[in-house]
Amino acid sequence: MAHGAPASEIDLQPLRTILEDRYNPENYQDSLELIVQACQEAQHLYGYVPKAATEAIAEHLGVSTNRIFGLLTFYADFLTDEPGEHTMLLCHGTACYVGGSQKLVDHLDLRYDVTSGKTTRDGTLTVQIVNGCLGVCDLAPVAQLDHHDYCGHLTVESFEGLMDTLRSESKAATVEDSDETD
Amino acid sequence: MRLTNQEAFEKYASEAQERWTSKFGGDRWVINVGISECSKAKGALDTWSNLQLHLDNSGLDYELHQVGCAGWCFAEPFIEVFAPDSPGIVFQNVVTDLVPELVQAFKTGDFPVEHAMGVRGDESFKGIAPLNEHPFLKGQHRLLFKRAGEIDPDSIEEYIANGGYAGFVKALLQMTPEEIVHEVKESNVRGRGGAGFPAGIKWESGRRTQAWPKYVVANSHEGEPNVFKDRRLIESDPHLVLEGLMIACVALETPHGYNYIGGEHVLALARFQHAVDQAYELGLLGDNVLGTGKSFHMRVRSGGGAYICGEGSALMYAIMGERGQPRTKPPRSVEEGVWRRPTVLNNTETYAAVPSIINNGGSWYASIGTEQSKGTKLVTIQGPVARIGVAEVDMGYSLRSLIEDIYGGAKEGYTLKGIQMGGVSAGPLRMDQLDVGIDFESLEEVGAMLGSGGFVAFDESICAVDFARYLTQFNRYESCAKCTPCRLGNKALLEIVDKVRNGQSPNEVAALIEATSENIIDLSLCGLGQVAPMPLLGMMKAFPDEFEAHFRDGTCPQGQCPVSQPKLRLEPVAAD
Ligand SMILES: Cc1cc2nc3c(=O)[nH]c(=O)nc-3n(C[C@H](O)[C@H](O)[C@H](O)COP(=O)(O)O)c2cc1C
Ligand code: SF4
Ligand code: FES
Ligand code: FES
């Protein structure tokens, strides 16, 4: 999954292809039913729902962009701003609470000034705090990184360890990039 | 392949059955690997690929076979091994590092007992005890979870080989819609989404409303923080839910079915969509199904990150591409639901019970459970217990036995303090209050709630006030903000609890909490607001001493609330 594709580099073609293949409403009623899932496709492709994607969806389904924004701001899963390099779903369901997720939520707020949907200032990590259960309570407190890897039995210390790894990876990547351009 | 009539279906079913039985009989090794969101989180995909690698090198004739989850989270990743001429043996916690050792053992023919969870059938095998005697499974009665962890959820053939779609075919070809509703009423299966309304009566009202088209909708939103049963059911046996929905479509005489699945449940969404695609291919969905001239269509819809969308009317707005906010009732959804048409909405688990009711009759189903709560119930546990998982027990099963025997009691190093019942909608039971049956009436009597069946064990280190704050905060955050008592009332309630946690309780704080709660409960529009204060009130009732210590002395006995914590001052990361 692509993460944080900058707004200027959004390639709408993949989204258009998906819309044309699988989103063919028979009438206006169908169009309305399909908006949220079309937005999910966009978020899946770009890591968030960029404005350009919203417009493409509106055009394809024949609905207004206002209506789409109304939905994007209602459903907490959607990101409308470009996320950081990594995205984390931090579970704050009951098992995770009992296991100590409140400490992580507080830590993020105190140390990084990050609440749900926000990105650390250095752009490393966007955190979405999930109120429902992620369904892997045996690992509580747990987070899902980049929609793929699970980090279980999290503590503030292990979270910091993870942050160190993510930051050093991104530094290494930056050095490589600059080598190439030299 | 499209099946065009009953004979074609029966032929397909008997061939599928033959292929299924011969799969496990021969000289070939068949190895099931459970792949669910839960097992993937624990590395089941790595186990899969490492098994492939080592089995390729072993020279054994083998087949790896994907199955769903069997509900035993504590044992994930699991595999089940069918050696030639041997019963299936389930091995637990088969992390990828264990694979070489296991494959080596398969070659020599002795199975490592220490990694085995149990063997299928009633007898021990090579020192491995029967799976049915495993404490996690012993008290369970698996009707809905019968195939879970044994068939490939992506295979309609395996579902049909194991009796699948027989209920739909019977309902479609041999029963009138009235007879179907009659059986469902007779079974007295009650809604599994929380409220426990009898499904048969709902279906009957849906039939009675004279407006078309009508809709049948499954509620697989599952946005509560305390439960994970519906997504597992779909991940493990999606066709079972689909079949239940299709039978409801036959009963309502409508071609329009929906399943609304929470957007976070990625694997459940994919597997259900796949199941729908397969049913279309086989001609069980589509037009002129099995030559009857009737059409059945199924749509999958989803939204994400809004707990309130699980509420019936909000869910329908969500389907219609609007913000999912509840509306006042009446009209009830059986009168005006999706697209303002008569709509029957049931929980995923409710639909899953329907095929067996049609196959075996309503009175058979009604013979399971208690006087007023029939059938089996899927329950999940969270928190520090020895064995986390999804269990299925008869209604009325002892809560104590569920916690202590099936879930194994407290995890090593923990002492349990209570069980939070009914998630964010009710209060807890202390450990001395667990001698009660798991059913709608018994739990309500003791001030708890069956709800959707997600129980949370919490241990002595958890402060009742802090826990109550968490649950109140959930409801405040998830309030859709449509009506004032819920939007502002829950905020006020949270502020009071926060003062208590900070050791600054206002005067007469208990009375203040009760008065505020009463307003929220009485004046809120929907089910969220109407029960939002219940967890807090329930905690106060169950642990009065702890609340008293906060109220009176401004202290937190558990040392969890801010009042007893050293002032943390963390330096924020410097801005770039
Ligand atoms: C705030 C709120 C959230 C709900 N969430 C769900 C849910 O996630 N799944 C569900 O099946 N029912 C949920 N319900 C209950 C539904 O409104 C409805 O009663 C149920 O889906 C009907 O199906 P049943 O009769 O089979 O239980 C929720 C209710 C409220 C008030
Ligand atoms: S009670 Fe709460 S959730 Fe329900 S409609 Fe009112 S504000 Fe929305
Ligand atoms: S509550 Fe966090 S995974 Fe279930
Ligand atoms: S093992 Fe399937 S839910 Fe955890």
Side-chain angles (χ1 to χ4, degrees):
Chain A
M1 183 175 304
H3 270 276
S8 55
E9 286 169 25
I10 294 292
D11 175 7
L12 288 176
Q13 202 44 53
L15 179 63
R16 291 221 165 92
T17 310
I18 291 175
L19 291 174
E20 271 153 34
D21 284 356
R22 285 192 274 129
Y23 288 78
N24 298 303
E26 284 166 23
N27 49 37
Y28 186 59
Q29 192 170 302
D30 281 2
S31 290
L32 298 178
E33 287 189 11
L34 291 171
I35 300 173
V36 170
Q37 270 151 307
C39 294
Q40 284 173 351
E41 303 276 6
Q43 174 138 325
H44 191 75
L45 282 169
Y46 308 115
Y48 71 119
V49 190
K51 192 151 176 283
T54 318
E55 283 157 4
I57 292 168
E59 190 188 296
H60 181 84
L61 293 177
V63 299
S64 75
T65 44
N66 277 355
R67 184 179 202 76
I68 300 184
F69 274 117
L71 296 179
L72 292 180
T73 49
F74 183 80
Y75 296 100
D77 282 1
F78 289 116
L79 293 173
T80 46
D81 291 328
E82 200 186 313
E85 264 173 82
H86 301 275
T87 305
M88 173 182 274
L89 302 182
L90 178 63
C91 184
H92 198 29
T94 333
C96 289
Y97 162 79
V98 171
S101 61
Q102 187 69 51
K103 292 195 185 78
L104 293 158
V105 171
D106 292 345
H107 178 75
L108 276 162
D109 189 7
L110 283 168
R111 164 95 204 233
Y112 293 97
D113 197 16
V114 162
T115 51
S116 192
K118 297 284 184 289
T119 306
T120 55
R121 261 177 250 181
D122 63 0
T124 306
L125 185 71
T126 300
V127 181
Q128 289 180 277
I129 296 171
V130 181
N131 277 333
C133 159
L134 281 186
V136 293
C137 311
D138 212 17
L139 299 178
V142 61
Q144 194 193 44
L145 192 64
D146 296 330
H147 301 275
H148 187 265
D149 299 320
Y150 285 90
C151 318
H153 309 298
L154 273 174
T155 59
V156 169
E157 290 72 41
S158 67
F159 175 81
E160 277 305 307
L162 180 70
M163 280 304 282
D164 285 342
T165 317
L166 296 181
R167 276 189 292 243
S168 61
E169 271 173 15
S170 84
K171 250 183 221 134
T174 325
V175 173
E176 265 171 45
D177 283 355
S178 57
D179 278 356
E180 274 167 37
T181 45
D182 275 348
Chain B
M1 182 174 22
R2 245 190 99 79
L3 307 174
T4 50
N5 54 36
Q6 186 173 3
E7 292 81 77
F9 175 82
E10 274 156 15
K11 184 159 170 277
Y12 179 90
S14 74
E15 284 169 10
Q17 214 170 356
E18 260 166 50
R19 274 194 293 272
W20 175 256
T21 16
S22 60
K23 186 182 182 87
F24 300 100
D27 294 337
R28 203 153 201 227
W29 289 68
V30 179
I31 294 162
N32 290 350
V33 185
I35 307 284
S36 61
E37 200 58 49
C38 174
S39 69
K40 277 163 72 179
K42 290 192 171 178
L45 293 177
D46 293 335
T47 301
W48 174 285
S49 31
N50 209 17
L51 272 169
Q52 209 161 23
L53 184 79
H54 281 84
L55 285 163
D56 277 343
N57 293 336
S58 71
L60 295 174
D61 182 19
Y62 80 96
E63 179 188 338
L64 280 186
H65 180 228
Q66 164 183 273
V67 295
C69 115
W72 43 58
C73 305
F74 64 93
E76 296 288 345
F78 82 92
I79 67 172
E80 178 167 0
V81 177
F82 295 84
D85 301 317
S86 308
I89 304 171
V90 175
F91 292 94
Q92 57 187 347
N93 303 119
V94 183
V95 288
T96 176
D97 291 347
L98 191 63
V99 166
E101 180 190 330
L102 277 184
V103 173
Q104 192 55 39
F106 297 163
K107 273 172 71 177
T108 57
D110 40 29
F111 299 108
V113 180
E114 67 276 20
H115 298 300
M117 186 172 163
V119 61
R120 298 278 176 189
D122 296 329
E123 275 157 43
S124 297
F125 180 77
K126 298 198 177 178
I128 300 168
L131 195 59
N132 293 335
E133 284 172 20
H134 191 285
F136 180 70
L137 292 162
K138 212 171 168 186
Q140 292 198 42
H141 181 189
R142 292 189 155 203
L143 289 178
L144 311 183
F145 247 54
K146 188 168 61 180
R147 305 177 194 82
E150 295 190 53
I151 65 166
D152 181 353
D154 284 330
S155 165
I156 193 170
E157 182 185 313
E158 292 188 9
Y159 179 67
I160 292 178
N162 288 279
Y165 289 111
F168 170 68
V169 172
K170 181 175 174 191
L172 179 66
L173 300 170
Q174 291 163 24
M175 294 170 82
T176 63
E178 290 81 5
E179 281 168 351
I180 300 172
V181 172
H182 175 79
E183 290 303 328
V184 176
K185 270 177 75 177
E186 181 99 357
S187 76
N188 198 11
V189 55
R190 293 168 57 184
R192 298 320 198 214
F197 190 81
I201 296 181
K202 197 185 278 185
W203 293 21
E204 195 165 60
S205 318
R207 281 188 58 77
R208 209 178 296 132
T209 313
Q210 300 295 312
W212 286 269
K214 295 181 180 181
Y215 297 99
V216 169
V217 182
N219 188 344
S220 307
H221 178 259
E222 197 162 75
E224 298 135 289
N226 59 304
V227 68
F228 52 94
K229 62 167 179 96
D230 290 339
R231 71 194 88 163
R232 290 305 172 251
L233 191 53
I234 297 177
E235 281 174 22
S236 293
D237 205 359
H239 285 285
L240 178 67
V241 178
L242 179 55
E243 185 181 355
L245 262 163
M246 286 158 63
I247 294 171
C249 287
V250 180
L252 269 288
E253 297 182 76
T254 177
H256 304 295
Y258 284 89
N259 193 357
Y260 184 87
I261 305 179
E264 304 86 346
H265 315 324
V266 181
L267 188 64
L269 260 166
R271 286 198 175 151
F272 193 81
Q273 184 63 57
H274 187 75
V276 168
D277 294 346
Q278 287 184 322
Y280 270 105
E281 265 170 46
L282 216 53
L284 297 176
L285 285 174
D287 296 326
N288 191 17
V289 169
L290 298 181
T292 56
K294 294 182 183 156
S295 301
F296 298 99
H297 293 283
M298 195 62 58
R299 291 175 161 181
V300 183
R301 295 285 177 258
S302 98
Y307 163 65
I308 192 62
C309 288
E311 195 274 345
S313 60
L315 180 143
M316 297 186 194
Y317 285 118
I319 288 180
M320 295 187 273
E322 296 193 21
R323 293 161 78 96
Q325 291 179 303
R327 63 156 167 76
T328 41
K329 276 151 253 175
R332 294 173 306 143
S333 54
V334 285
E335 291 150 0
E336 264 187 38
V338 181
W339 300 116
R340 307 194 65 183
R341 295 291 167 215
T343 300
V344 163
L345 174 76
N346 278 121
N347 173 252
T348 318
E349 186 188 341
T350 314
Y351 286 114
V354 170
S356 65
I357 291 171
I358 296 302
N359 283 323
N360 307 319
S363 51
W364 163 81
Y365 189 85
S367 69
I368 306 164
T370 67
E371 188 60 36
Q372 291 182 61
S373 302
K374 300 300 187 189
T376 57
K377 180 80 193 82
L378 292 178
V379 291
T380 61
I381 189 83
Q382 300 181 328
V385 294
R387 287 186 285 272
I388 285 191
V390 187
E392 183 175 359
V393 292
D394 285 348
M395 285 280 192
Y397 191 82
S398 148
L399 178 61
R400 184 172 302 283
S401 176
L402 176 77
I403 302 297
E404 290 180 357
D405 303 332
I406 294 182
Y407 292 133
K411 195 167 155 175
E412 225 184 290
Y414 291 82
T415 313
L416 294 184
K417 174 169 171 175
I419 310 290
Q420 170 61 9
M421 312 286 296
V424 291
S425 314
L429 292 177
R430 288 186 314 267
M431 294 312 282
D432 60 321
Q433 296 176 304
L434 298 190
D435 295 299
V436 53
I438 302 168
D439 59 77
F440 293 108
E441 289 73 30
S442 308
L443 288 173
E444 211 176 300
E445 248 167 55
V446 295
M449 185 181 157
L450 177 55
S452 50
F455 305 143
V456 186
F458 54 102
D459 67 293
E460 290 290 353
S461 74
I462 300 290
C463 161
V465 178
D466 195 77
F467 196 2
R469 184 216 184 250
Y470 164 83
L471 297 163
T472 309
Q473 148 73 20
F474 178 92
N475 283 326
R476 189 207 68 97
Y477 183 87
E478 295 295 341
S479 160
C480 82
K482 180 168 177 168
C483 67
T484 317
C486 171
R487 181 180 69 236
L488 296 183
N490 282 308
K491 187 160 180 276
L493 207 53
L494 190 63
E495 279 167 9
I496 301 170
V497 181
D498 273 336
K499 284 191 182 141
V500 173
R501 286 168 70 247
N502 286 322
Q504 296 158 345
S505 301
N507 290 336
E508 307 287 336
V509 58
L512 182 63
I513 290 176
E514 270 155 30
T516 312
S517 300
E518 206 175 292
N519 283 330
I520 302 172
I521 293 168
D522 290 348
L523 302 174
S524 289
L525 190 158
C526 86
L528 189 151
Q530 286 158 10
V531 299
M534 299 313 270
L536 172 60
L537 298 176
M539 284 284 174
M540 273 169 74
K541 200 168 142 221
F543 303 102
D545 297 349
E546 241 170 86
F547 275 80
E548 218 22 62
H550 288 72
F551 291 164
R552 203 187 42 228
D553 314 330
T555 58
C556 174
Q558 262 64 25
Q560 200 186 355
C561 288
V563 61
S564 51
Q565 300 210 345
K567 288 271 174 290
L568 286 175
R569 282 232 179 276
L570 285 165
E571 292 307 315
V573 178
D576 290 343

